[in-house]
Amino acid sequence: MSLDSLLSYDLPLFQGLSATDLAGIEVQFTERRLGPWEILFHQKDQSRDVHFLLSGTLIALYWTTDGREVIFTRFGLGAHFGELATLDDGDRSLAVVARSEATVLTLPGAVFRQLFDQIPTLRWRITHGLVARIRALTARNLELTTYSVEQRVASYLFGLAVDRGQLRAGGVITEAPTHAEIAATIGSNREMVSRIMSALAKRGAIKTARQRIELLDPKVLTAEF
């Protein structure tokens, strides 16, 4: 496949690069479509491919031995993931599941490693992304150990609004996570999250509908943490 074909996807990792930058690298990639709740790969999987989200919604989660789901992240459009197993030859640490219909572009691990080795700009971007992930996990661990459930819900909604560019009165988060997904992300349960969301709505902080959260007064959220 041509280098121009890969660059035409306008993926953030490759922005600003040209076919000249990728010269000498045999590029291989495929597209795959996933149905809702289809698993792209399991935790402990030994595959080495790196994936890019082209459309839809994907979540990375961990299943505990008792069957409980712990959600680590949702991937934004264009995001890449799976590089940890590629770089250290280890098993997948998390499973990745489609929350809706989704399309992913897949690079073989060998191609990704060649890109990492030979293109300094890509190496810097990948390393920067890994450092950002470590910082986010550190912050999340601190929240789990120091915040109440109410504070964790408020912090989660605040961060979600920031990520979606909706942190303002009247900001609307569409395709919002379910209460069960929020609970699995912050280390709580659906019933508790539902009660807290109702309380925030009564206090005039938010207004909720199916897969939709409207921020009425973001200051109420920040007062929680």
Side-chain angles (χ1 to χ4, degrees):
M1 297 180 181
S2 71
L3 298 173
D4 289 338
S5 296
L6 176 61
L7 295 175
S8 69
Y9 285 95
D10 197 26
L11 298 167
L13 186 62
F14 298 103
Q15 281 183 353
L17 298 180
S18 67
T20 301
D21 296 309
L22 305 182
I25 300 175
E26 185 179 350
V27 176
Q28 306 168 42
F29 63 89
T30 57
E31 275 193 31
R32 176 178 171 184
R33 295 185 181 277
L34 302 170
W37 304 113
E38 185 175 347
I39 297 173
L40 179 60
F41 57 75
H42 292 269
Q43 63 199 49
K44 303 300 183 183
D45 190 292
Q46 296 183 344
S47 61
R48 298 288 181 265
D49 296 336
V50 176
H51 307 277
F52 297 78
L53 179 60
L54 300 180
S55 67
T57 304
L58 295 179
I59 55 175
L61 54 83
Y62 180 85
W63 279 294
T64 64
T65 54
D66 61 358
R68 186 167 59 91
E69 291 182 357
V70 179
I71 297 177
F72 277 73
T73 191
R74 283 184 170 206
F75 298 108
L77 292 179
H80 66 277
F81 54 94
E83 72 274 26
L84 294 184
T86 301
L87 294 174
D88 74 353
D89 284 326
D91 296 344
R92 301 291 192 187
S93 54
L94 301 171
V96 171
V97 181
R99 187 177 179 272
S100 66
E101 291 187 353
T103 305
V104 297
L105 180 147
T106 299
L107 283 178
V111 173
F112 186 84
R113 289 173 74 158
Q114 191 175 8
L115 292 170
F116 183 88
D117 289 339
Q118 297 185 19
I119 303 178
T121 298
L122 286 184
R123 185 162 59 248
W124 164 248
R125 289 175 180 173
I126 293 163
T127 303
H128 187 272
L130 293 174
V131 171
R133 192 181 307 175
I134 292 171
R135 292 184 184 277
L137 289 173
T138 300
R140 180 176 178 182
N141 184 60
L142 288 172
E143 287 189 1
L144 288 172
T145 56
T146 61
Y147 279 13
S148 67
V149 179
E150 289 81 1
Q151 289 173 317
R152 297 203 297 271
V153 170
S155 177
Y156 177 88
L157 294 176
F158 183 91
L160 186 61
V162 170
D163 290 344
R164 302 283 184 90
Q166 298 296 320
L167 187 60
R168 64 181 185 277
V172 176
I173 300 168
T174 58
E175 295 186 10
T178 66
H179 292 181
E181 289 175 328
I182 295 173
T185 303
I186 67 168
S188 183
N189 58 68
R190 183 185 60 78
E191 292 76 13
M192 177 65 77
V193 169
S194 295
R195 287 198 294 270
I196 294 169
M197 295 286 283
S198 295
L200 288 171
K202 289 178 181 178
R203 292 175 58 191
I206 60 175
K207 181 179 179 181
T208 62
R210 181 175 177 81
Q211 290 192 301
R212 186 179 189 275
I213 301 173
E214 180 180 355
L215 273 69
L216 303 178
D217 188 352
K219 295 191 297 294
V220 176
L221 293 180
T222 59
E224 293 289 335
F225 57 93

